[in-house]
Amino acid sequence: MTENDAREEERPAQTQEDHGAPAEDRTEHEAAPEDGAHVGTGTETAATAVPDAVIPELVIISGMSGAGRSTAAKCLEDLGWFVVDNLPPALIPTMVELGARSQGNVARIAVVVDVRGRRFFDNLRESLADLESKHVTRRIVFLESSDEALVRRFESVRRPHPLQGDGRIVDGIAAERELLRELRGDADLVIDTSSLNVHELRAKMDAQFAGDEEPELRATVMSFGFKYGLPVDADLVVDMRFLPNPHWVPELRPFTGLNEEVSAYVFNQPGAKEFLDRYTELLQLIAAGYRREGKRYVTIAVGCTGGKHRSVATSEKLAARLASQGVETVIVHRDMGRE
């Protein structure tokens, strides 16, 4: 598990002054406030800066460079969180406030923060205190790893540690570990990724944040013609050329697998319905394994000679089966109409 954490140092965030007036003195028609002021929503109280009913859930992801922050963030994104990477800590309260104004459209926010400048923790402490004063529920996830594992990961991608300067990778790791010491102590969840691969880390994140629901799997069912080449993004490939080709039936040749007569012809052939039943069962088994491994997207390519009749008809039937099982499914007919 590696990540590219060598980025430019963060510019120190400017200190914001509290220009906020008492909530009862504000109106919806008040002029735009100065920079740093809080914008009223008409439903606030003096004790709370954002409406209690719509305050988003907040997770702050931090930890050692190379320990898997990007993987953890991607996992939350796949679970439906609104993820913001490389956000200056001083802007976290603003991000939460904007989410609160979304009327529930942004209910869960994950922010990835790391060490970019020496004022990092001053800004982060101020932001956390601000969030606490506004009764915002937040959790801190800290990604940890051993020095040996971090050195190995940085060497594998041949990139310097963001804090090593003119020194060695271990010098950068030591400096970062010291800067992050206090945040690690405040973390609600610490995950040591020293011996974890990407799939195992995703499984741990799923266990913490997916709740009782299984992670959602999205499927693309794509028909194609073998004579035009295999789809490069296919995870699974099905060959329907074991069935008779409607192309050789004169009255069916002009039509495609979307036509009812063509579809009926294909699935009245020996083995066609049995294949669909058994392959759907097999996909249930595969889908369960994909979920366990943290795979969220799968492309199933269904092929025939020209991608016009058999593959199209089968793709439509297969997609309908998957959709009936709760799998979010998209159908793509890559080569239909190409002949």
Side-chain angles (χ1 to χ4, degrees):
M1 175 170 46
T2 63
E3 61 176 336
N4 180 9
D5 288 307
R7 307 185 182 102
E8 294 181 359
E9 287 193 353
E10 172 188 334
R11 295 181 180 177
Q14 296 181 354
T15 303
Q16 297 182 353
E17 298 179 1
D18 182 12
H19 300 290
E24 59 269 22
D25 293 337
R26 301 174 187 170
T27 67
E28 293 180 353
H29 305 291
E30 186 173 340
E34 301 175 6
D35 291 342
H38 172 67
V39 180
T41 63
T43 58
E44 303 164 6
T45 66
T48 307
V50 290
D52 289 337
V54 293
I55 294 178
E57 183 180 357
L58 175 67
V59 166
I60 297 173
I61 301 174
S62 190
M64 300 296 295
S65 300
R69 294 188 306 250
S70 297
T71 298
K74 180 61 178 175
C75 181
L76 291 185
E77 187 174 44
D78 289 342
L79 291 174
W81 290 66
F82 185 86
V83 178
V84 184
D85 194 8
N86 193 18
L87 184 71
L91 297 181
I92 294 177
T94 302
M95 189 71 239
V96 172
E97 185 177 339
L98 292 173
R101 295 181 189 176
S102 70
Q103 299 180 346
N105 292 323
V106 181
R108 299 182 298 177
I109 297 175
V111 177
V112 182
V113 294
D114 48 43
V115 179
R116 304 295 166 84
R118 298 297 174 173
R119 291 192 58 188
F120 170 83
F121 279 108
D122 290 336
N123 294 333
L124 183 57
R125 289 191 197 97
E126 293 172 4
S127 294
L128 293 178
D130 189 9
L131 294 171
E132 185 176 355
S133 70
K134 295 171 183 175
H135 310 290
V136 175
T137 301
R138 54 87 177 150
R139 283 181 286 176
I140 298 175
V141 177
F142 191 95
L143 281 301
E144 174 66 277
S145 194
S146 68
D147 288 2
E148 293 78 7
L150 294 175
V151 169
R152 184 170 61 252
R153 292 167 190 171
F154 275 104
E155 288 181 341
S156 70
V157 295
R158 299 181 180 179
R159 298 299 299 270
H161 187 281
L163 294 185
Q164 76 179 72
D166 296 329
R168 300 178 300 159
I169 292 176
V170 291
D171 298 326
I173 292 173
E176 184 178 36
R177 202 178 292 283
E178 181 61 30
L179 286 173
L180 292 171
R181 188 181 304 280
E182 184 174 340
L183 181 62
R184 188 188 189 286
D186 293 336
D188 301 282
L189 174 65
V190 177
I191 301 178
D192 188 344
T193 68
S194 301
S195 59
L196 299 182
N197 60 35
V198 172
H199 306 300
E200 291 167 336
L201 174 55
R202 292 185 67 103
K204 285 184 174 290
M205 292 294 293
D206 281 344
Q208 291 292 327
F209 295 100
D212 296 330
E213 299 180 0
E214 268 194 330
E216 185 180 359
L217 180 67
R218 297 179 178 90
T220 297
V221 180
M222 177 187 299
S223 68
F224 74 97
F226 277 97
K227 69 179 182 179
Y228 300 114
L230 288 170
V232 296
D233 57 344
D235 297 294
L236 303 169
V237 178
V238 178
D239 186 354
M240 301 307 300
R241 291 177 295 184
F242 70 92
L243 298 175
N245 191 349
H247 175 81
W248 303 115
V249 181
E251 59 269 28
L252 298 180
R253 183 179 300 175
F255 302 106
T256 71
L258 298 178
N259 179 270
E260 290 185 7
E261 287 80 4
V262 173
S263 181
Y265 174 85
V266 171
F267 284 97
N268 282 332
Q269 302 301 320
K273 292 179 181 178
E274 183 181 5
F275 169 82
L276 184 63
D277 292 339
R278 293 192 178 184
Y279 192 65
T280 302
E281 294 177 359
L282 178 61
L283 286 178
Q284 291 178 332
L285 179 64
I286 294 173
Y290 277 162
R291 291 188 180 100
R292 287 193 298 270
E293 291 299 307
K295 186 175 177 64
R296 301 286 180 268
Y297 306 93
V298 59
T299 297
I300 305 167
V302 182
C304 63
T305 303
K308 179 180 179 180
H309 296 112
R310 294 164 291 181
S311 63
V312 172
T314 305
S315 294
E316 291 287 327
K317 294 283 189 182
L318 183 59
R321 293 281 187 97
L322 293 175
S324 69
Q325 296 170 1
V327 178
E328 184 179 333
T329 307
V330 175
I331 305 175
V332 177
H333 298 303
R334 190 191 74 174
D335 298 325
M336 190 174 67
R338 188 169 177 177
E339 73 284 348

